[in-house]
Amino acid sequence: MPVTGISWQQAFAGGWRGGASTLGAVREGSPAGNEGDERPAGPAGPAGLTLRERKKLRTRRALVEEALRLFTEQGFGETTLDELVDAVEISQRTFFRTFASKEDVALAPEKELWAAYVAGIEARPPGPGRSPLASYQETLFAAVREMAEGWERRFLCSRALCERTPALLAHSLRHCAEVTDRVLHITAERRPAAGGGRDQELRLLLLLELMLAAWRWAVRQWAAAGQGADREALYGHMREAFAAIPDAAALARH
């Protein structure tokens, strides 16, 4: 799912190091600054971006950081859009050029991950002899690895908000359904329809849902263990959950 004005790969090439106070206020109409004033936020840095794109990226970063802080401290429903844009020193018009809604900015870490996942599925269709399940799993590992520095903290903060906010949960479930439909369409389109198109689509869907259930279990274990920003711990839970899928599927035959 593309970032307004620039691709998601460009937008999240650099890491995030703190909120608006660290990134600097993004004042409406203020100059982007000299090129030398912009330092890459992560190991790679936002290479190849124009000054205007860098300013958009800085605005987006500050909005997500401030939104997660305010929503966590005050509550999602209790935080107004005016409070959020005032904290980042931008207008509502600029906000809506960056995000579609409060829900959209609150779930930005989750949407970044699944945008990378869909892009990965599009870029590496299953080859001969490669199982769809293996492709689904490998692509999710790759998407997590591609996330910018500090994504773990933002993701867990966003998920905690989602679990206690019905409006965010509904938005997240709708987004998950959209991603599932997109991945299923890509995968089904690129595989020969052995045994009938509808039957194959159903099998691909069931495999994808199994993987997503394993992912959700891994995230719950990761969050509950208090391992916070440790991405290696998340990989471990993912490997454990994915390894259990064949045995779980075998239960259907008993």
Side-chain angles (χ1 to χ4, degrees):
M1 299 174 188
V3 175
T4 304
I6 53 178
S7 69
W8 72 264
Q9 293 98 329
Q10 289 175 314
F12 301 107
W16 296 17
R17 296 184 178 179
S21 61
T22 303
L23 294 164
V26 185
R27 293 178 173 79
E28 192 69 26
S30 66
N34 297 325
E35 188 169 0
D37 294 336
E38 285 289 337
R39 296 181 182 179
L49 299 185
T50 66
L51 291 177
R52 182 174 180 176
E53 288 169 339
R54 289 183 180 187
K55 187 176 179 181
K56 287 181 179 180
L57 174 55
R58 185 172 59 187
T59 300
R60 183 181 176 88
R61 290 172 170 170
L63 275 169
V64 173
E65 290 283 359
E66 272 307 296
L68 291 175
R69 182 185 68 80
L70 289 171
F71 295 159
T72 298
E73 292 178 357
Q74 301 177 180
F76 178 78
E78 292 73 19
T79 302
T80 66
L81 185 57
D82 282 337
E83 287 179 291
L84 175 54
V85 297
D86 285 349
V88 188
E89 300 184 25
I90 61 169
S91 68
Q92 287 199 17
R93 181 180 178 182
T94 297
F95 174 88
F96 285 115
R97 284 201 299 261
T98 311
F99 292 101
S101 63
K102 280 173 57 182
E103 289 83 359
D104 199 28
V105 67
L107 295 175
E110 175 181 313
K111 292 191 172 188
E112 292 160 24
L113 174 66
W114 296 113
Y117 183 73
V118 171
I121 290 289
E122 289 176 330
R124 50 184 294 187
R130 177 190 295 271
S131 78
L133 182 60
S135 180
Y136 291 153
Q137 294 172 356
E138 292 164 8
T139 305
L140 186 53
F141 272 112
V144 173
R145 282 194 297 270
E146 289 174 19
M147 291 297 97
E149 179 185 348
W151 169 83
E152 301 90 339
R153 172 182 55 82
R154 294 187 301 278
F155 180 84
L156 289 174
C157 180
S158 177
R159 290 312 304 167
L161 281 169
C162 188
E163 288 171 6
R164 63 177 182 265
T165 310
L168 288 180
L169 181 58
H171 192 96
S172 177
L173 290 172
R174 184 166 61 251
H175 178 251
C176 181
E178 292 168 355
V179 169
T180 299
D181 287 347
R182 178 60 182 153
V183 171
L184 181 62
H185 174 76
I186 295 168
T187 309
E189 194 174 57
R190 294 180 178 180
R191 293 185 66 87
R198 287 192 62 188
D199 287 346
Q200 176 178 256
E201 186 171 305
L202 175 58
R203 289 192 292 270
L204 291 171
L205 174 61
L206 291 174
L207 287 175
L208 180 57
E209 293 288 1
L210 275 173
M211 195 233 26
L212 291 174
W215 160 256
R216 288 190 290 269
W217 182 89
V219 169
R220 284 197 299 270
Q221 300 304 309
W222 180 46
Q227 291 163 319
D230 187 348
R231 205 173 302 199
E232 288 300 322
L234 175 57
Y235 295 149
H237 290 305
M238 289 171 67
R239 284 189 287 268
E240 181 182 0
F242 293 164
I245 290 176
D247 288 342
L251 292 175
R253 296 194 290 271
H254 294 286

